[in-house]
Amino acid sequence: MATKQKQPKKKMSNAIRLTLFWAILVFGVLTFIALTSPRTNLKDVPISTVIDRANQGEISKIEGTGNDISITPKGQEKATEKSYIQGGVSTLLKDNILSKEARSVIKDSAPSQTGDALWNIAIIIVPVLLIGALFIFMMRQAQGQNNQALGFGKSKAKLYGLDKERVVFDDIAGNDSAKQDLEEVVDFLKHPKKYETLGAKIPKGVLLVGNPGTGKTMLARAVAGEANVPFFSISGSEFVEMFVGVGASRVRDLFAKAKKNAPAIIFIDEIDAVGRKRGSGMGGGHDEREQTLNQILVEMDGFETGTNVIVLAATNRADVLDPALLRPGRFDRRTNIMLPERRDRELILKVHFKNKPTEANVNLDALAAKTAGSSGADLANIANEAAIIAARRNAKKISNADLTEAFEKVAIGPERKTKVMNEKEKQLTAYHEAGHAIVGHVLPDSDPVHKVTIISRGSTGGVTWFLPPEDRSYTNVYEFKDILARAMGGRVAEKIIYGEDGITTGAGSDLRKATEIARDMIIEQGMGTTLRDQVFHDNNGGMVFDKMTHDRPYSNETAKEIDEEVETLIKEAAKRAEAVINHNRASLEKLANALLEKETVEEKEVVELLSDATLPKEARLYTLAA
C-alpha cells in the first residue's frame, strides 16, 4: 500500500511575519496605554460638597475603597462622581459629620491589593516585553541580511531538472546543420563509454554563434532535453557585480553544482558580457569582468579533468571574445546558426501557425518567399501580428491579407494613415518613390519592385520595396552598384522635377544607407578601384575606450583614399540614376500619377506601368574598373 508522503511545511513569508510582528507591537502599546491611563473617568467633587448633598438626601450610595470614595447620586445606577478623604468612609462615620439617614448609604470595603500589584507589575513588564520583541525582530532581520551576504557569491543559475517539460530537436524547425553538429554532443552524454574506449574526449565547450532570434537558446535547451541531463542556465551579465571577486565566486559555485549533477550541461547566454578580450577595458587585470573570465577559463580547462560537464555558450558577437576562450580545450567547437532558408522559414511558419485558425487559401510558402533574411523570432512576430490584425477586424480566421499586412508592419513599420500631407508634399513623395522604382526596375542586377506606396510607414514618408526572387549567399559588385543607383533614384528624381532648389530632406535615410553600402564595399569587401582586393577592417569590438587607445589599421593617406573611393561610387550611382530617369521621364510621370491616385501600387501594376521603360546606354556597367 502506498504511504502518504508528508507535505513539507510552508514557511511563513516575510511579509506575513512583519505584519504579525507590528500587530503584536501595536496591541502591546495600546494595552500599556490602557493600563497606565486613569482607571476611572468619574467626576472629582470636594468632600464638603459630598457631605452637604448626603445630608440633604441627594445621594443614594457612598462607597469607599481605602481613601477613595465613589458617589452614586439619586436616580443613577452607577457611581458618576468621586472624592477623597483621609481615612476613607470611616472618618465620615466616626466624627458624626453625617446625619443618621446619610450614614445608611455608606458602604465600606477593604482596599484591593491585587489591583495595585497588577498595576505595578504591568508598568514594569509590558515595556520590557515590547523592548524584547523589538530586539528579537532586529536580530532576525540582521540574520537574514547576513544570510544574503553569505549567499552573495552563490551562482544564480536556474536548473531545469528532468521533471520539467523537455524540448527536443523535433520541436525546433529548421537549423538542420546546427542540430547535426549538436547531436554528437548529445550522443556523447548518452553513451560516453563508446567514445572513451576509442580514446575520444568529450568537447569541453560548444559556442553557438548566430544573429539575434535565430534560436541559439532553444537549441541549447534541446541538447539538454535530448541528452536527458540537468541543464544549468545563466546569463553572462549575472556573473558581474560591482564587488570584485563576486563573479569568480559565482563561476566556481556554478561549476561545483554542475559537477555534483554530472553529466550535466551549463548554458551561458550572451557570454560576450564577460568573455571580451582582456586588456581592452580601463580596469586592467584587476577588473571584475576579467577576473570572472579568468575563472571561467580555469574551470573549463584547468588541472581538473574528466568532469563530464559540457559548457554551451551563445553570442552574436564572436569577434569580440577572448582568444583564450576560443582555443581547443575550452570552446572546442563553434556552431554557426544561420538565418533560415526558404524551406526552413516555411517549416517555422507552420510551427507558429499550428494553433492559429487560418483560412483554407492561406499561402505560407508565399510568405516564406517574401521573408528572406528574417530570423525565427521575426517569423514568430509576423505570425503573432497576423493574429492580432485578424482579431482587430473581428475575423474568426487569419487571411492572406492579414499575413501581408503583418509582414509589412514587421519589416518596414506600421502604416501611419493619420499623417496628413499637403498636396505639394504628396506630389514630391510620389516622384521620389517613383524615382526609386524606375531605377530599380530598369537596372539588370537589381531586385524586382514588390510594392510602391506614398503612405507613411514607420519614420518614412513613403516606401519603395524591393524583394529578391530567391535567397542569396553572395552579392557581386554589379548588384551592389545597382543597389546604390536605386538608392540615389529618389534624390535624383527630386532634382530633375524640381531643380536644385527643390531638393528636400526626404532622401536623408537613402543617402545614409548608400554611404554605408559604399563604405562597406571599400573597407570590408575590397571592391574599390585603387584599393582593389584590400580590406581595412578595424576589429576593436566597437568599444569607445578601444577607439581612443588603438590606432587604425591604416594610415591617414589610406583613409583619404577610402573617402575618395566612397565619393566616386556615390557619384557614379547618381549619374546612372539620372540617366535612367531622364531616359524614361514619361514612365516616371505615369507611375507618380498612379501613386497620387491610389497611394499604393503593387508589383504587377508597377510592371505594367513601367513596361515601356528601358536601360539607356549611359547607365550600363560594361566591365569593372581596373
Side-chain angles (χ1 to χ4, degrees):
M1 185 175 68
T3 57
K4 223 179 196 182
Q5 292 183 349
K6 277 189 176 181
Q7 296 292 332
K9 291 182 180 179
K10 292 184 178 178
K11 292 185 179 179
M12 190 183 298
S13 68
N14 290 334
I16 296 175
R17 283 203 299 267
L18 189 62
T19 304
L20 186 60
F21 168 76
W22 285 111
I24 294 172
L25 185 64
V26 171
F27 176 76
V29 170
L30 294 176
T31 304
F32 179 72
I33 293 172
L35 289 172
T36 55
S37 62
R39 287 171 288 177
T40 178
N41 57 356
L42 303 180
K43 180 182 177 183
D44 281 312
V45 294
I47 189 62
S48 58
T49 304
V50 174
I51 294 170
D52 290 341
R53 290 172 61 195
N55 289 330
Q56 294 173 9
E58 297 177 1
I59 295 175
S60 62
K61 185 194 293 186
I62 297 176
E63 188 174 6
T65 303
N67 296 328
D68 295 325
I69 297 172
S70 59
I71 302 102
T72 305
K74 275 192 175 181
Q76 302 288 336
E77 296 181 358
K78 295 181 180 180
T80 59
E81 299 171 352
K82 65 178 181 177
S83 188
Y84 176 87
I85 184 171
Q86 186 66 34
V89 294
S90 58
T91 303
L92 296 176
L93 295 171
K94 187 191 298 183
D95 296 336
N96 297 321
I97 297 173
L98 298 175
S99 63
K100 189 176 180 180
E101 292 80 5
R103 290 180 182 182
S104 62
V105 301
I106 295 176
K107 291 183 179 181
D108 191 12
S109 60
S112 174
Q113 299 299 325
T114 305
D116 290 339
L118 291 174
W119 179 271
N120 294 331
I121 291 171
I123 291 175
I124 295 171
I125 291 179
V126 170
V128 173
L129 290 175
L130 293 177
I131 293 172
L134 183 61
F135 180 75
I136 291 171
F137 174 74
M138 291 173 65
M139 289 292 292
R140 285 181 174 273
Q141 290 294 103
Q143 186 178 5
Q145 294 294 331
N146 189 39
N147 289 337
Q148 289 182 9
L150 292 174
F152 198 60
K154 299 295 183 183
S155 168
K156 296 182 180 180
K158 297 177 183 177
L159 173 61
Y160 295 90
L162 307 179
D163 54 339
K164 298 287 184 182
E165 184 178 351
R166 293 188 298 156
V167 177
V168 294
F169 287 141
D170 290 339
D171 298 328
I172 303 174
N175 287 318
D176 291 338
S177 59
K179 286 191 283 190
Q180 186 176 358
D181 291 342
L182 295 173
E183 278 174 0
E184 292 183 13
V185 177
V186 173
D187 192 46
F188 190 97
L189 289 170
K190 282 184 174 180
H191 311 103
K193 290 184 179 179
K194 181 174 72 174
Y195 295 88
E196 289 171 358
T197 53
L198 295 173
K201 293 183 179 180
I202 184 173
K204 292 289 183 69
V206 180
L207 185 65
L208 307 178
V209 182
N211 292 334
T214 49
K216 299 185 292 294
T217 304
M218 187 65 70
L219 278 170
R221 289 285 303 274
V223 171
E226 291 281 352
N228 203 21
V229 297
F231 179 78
F232 294 87
S233 176
I234 192 169
S235 171
S237 61
E238 293 183 56
F239 288 118
V240 183
E241 291 283 352
M242 65 180 290
F243 303 107
V244 176
V246 173
S249 174
R250 288 179 177 172
V251 171
R252 287 191 293 270
D253 184 64
L254 172 61
F255 277 85
K257 288 178 180 177
K259 290 168 188 174
K260 288 179 182 178
N261 292 274
I265 291 175
I266 294 174
F267 176 59
I268 305 175
D269 201 6
E270 304 298 343
I271 194 173
D272 51 278
V274 291
R276 285 178 177 267
K277 293 177 183 177
R278 288 169 291 181
S280 62
M282 298 179 67
H286 296 285
D287 180 53
E288 163 65 1
R289 179 180 57 79
E290 293 193 5
Q291 288 199 23
T292 305
L293 172 59
N294 291 338
Q295 189 62 45
I296 292 175
L297 298 176
V298 171
E299 292 289 347
M300 289 188 70
D301 190 20
F303 284 103
E304 189 175 3
T305 59
T307 56
N308 209 13
V309 173
I310 296 179
V311 181
L312 296 181
T315 182
N316 51 12
R317 295 294 312 277
D319 57 311
V320 302
L321 295 180
D322 193 276
L325 200 62
L326 302 176
R327 73 157 175 83
R330 292 198 175 113
F331 282 105
D332 305 271
R333 298 191 177 187
R334 173 169 171 164
T335 299
N336 292 310
I337 303 174
M338 310 302 293
L339 290 170
E341 298 178 356
R342 177 171 176 171
R343 184 181 64 86
D344 293 335
R345 292 196 297 272
E346 185 179 0
L347 293 174
I348 294 170
L349 287 169
K350 285 180 179 178
V351 169
H352 292 302
F353 280 97
K354 184 177 180 180
N355 298 319
K356 294 179 174 65
T358 57
E359 293 182 357
N361 64 341
V362 163
N363 191 349
L364 295 181
D365 180 61
L367 180 60
K370 291 180 182 179
T371 52
S374 298
S375 66
D378 294 329
L379 298 174
N381 193 21
I382 291 171
N384 186 57
E385 287 292 343
I388 292 172
I389 291 167
R392 197 164 55 214
R393 61 182 182 85
N394 299 318
K396 300 296 182 184
K397 293 185 178 182
I398 300 171
S399 67
N400 279 318
D402 298 328
L403 294 184
T404 301
E405 187 176 349
F407 168 52
E408 294 178 357
K409 182 178 180 181
V410 171
I412 55 178
E415 286 189 357
R416 292 189 297 150
K417 294 183 178 180
T418 54
K419 182 181 178 180
V420 179
M421 291 189 291
N422 57 43
E423 287 301 318
K424 183 178 179 181
E425 287 182 341
K426 197 173 180 181
Q427 188 182 55
L428 185 142
T429 305
Y431 280 114
H432 181 101
E433 300 305 330
H436 286 306
I438 196 168
V439 174
H441 176 78
V442 167
L443 294 179
D445 294 294
S446 172
D447 297 326
V449 181
H450 173 66
K451 176 183 285 191
V452 187
T453 179
I454 58 173
I455 297 174
S456 298
R457 276 187 175 272
S459 59
T460 62
V463 177
T464 302
W465 201 353
F466 299 89
L467 283 180
E470 57 186 2
D471 292 356
R472 289 201 200 104
S473 301
Y474 306 103
T475 303
N476 62 43
V477 68
Y478 295 104
E479 290 166 346
F480 269 131
K481 289 193 172 186
D482 282 3
I483 292 171
L484 290 176
R486 76 190 189 205
M488 298 299 298
R491 168 58 63 88
V492 171
E494 291 180 16
K495 187 176 73 171
I496 290 173
I497 299 298
Y498 298 101
E500 291 286 350
D501 297 336
I503 291 175
T504 67
T505 58
S509 61
D510 300 328
L511 301 179
R512 186 162 52 250
K513 185 67 178 176
T515 305
E516 289 174 2
I517 293 171
R519 187 165 290 276
D520 181 74
M521 290 173 65
I522 304 303
I523 293 178
E524 301 289 346
Q525 310 304 332
M527 293 181 177
T529 303
T530 57
L531 299 176
R532 175 68 54 80
D533 301 332
Q534 298 179 61
V535 174
F536 306 97
H537 180 65
D538 188 2
N539 185 15
N540 56 28
M543 298 181 69
V544 175
F545 188 70
D546 289 342
K547 293 177 181 178
M548 293 168 56
T549 57
H550 289 73
D551 293 331
R552 290 179 307 186
Y554 49 87
S555 64
N556 290 332
E557 289 76 11
T558 303
K560 182 181 179 182
E561 285 191 60
I562 291 172
D563 293 338
E564 290 173 353
E565 292 268 25
V566 171
E567 182 183 5
T568 300
L569 285 173
I570 297 296
K571 286 182 176 179
E572 179 189 79
K575 287 180 180 178
R576 294 182 71 209
E578 187 172 2
V580 169
I581 293 174
N582 281 326
H583 186 72
N584 299 284
R585 183 70 178 269
S587 297
L588 177 76
E589 296 285 351
K590 196 187 297 184
L591 180 56
N593 291 332
L595 287 170
L596 289 171
E597 180 183 351
K598 300 179 179 179
E599 292 188 333
T600 299
V601 181
E602 298 290 343
E603 182 176 1
K604 290 182 179 179
E605 193 172 355
V606 171
V607 173
E608 292 176 4
L609 290 169
L610 301 181
S611 58
D612 296 333
T614 57
L615 178 66
K617 184 177 180 180
E618 301 88 336
R620 297 175 188 174
L621 287 173
Y622 297 102
T623 58
L624 288 175

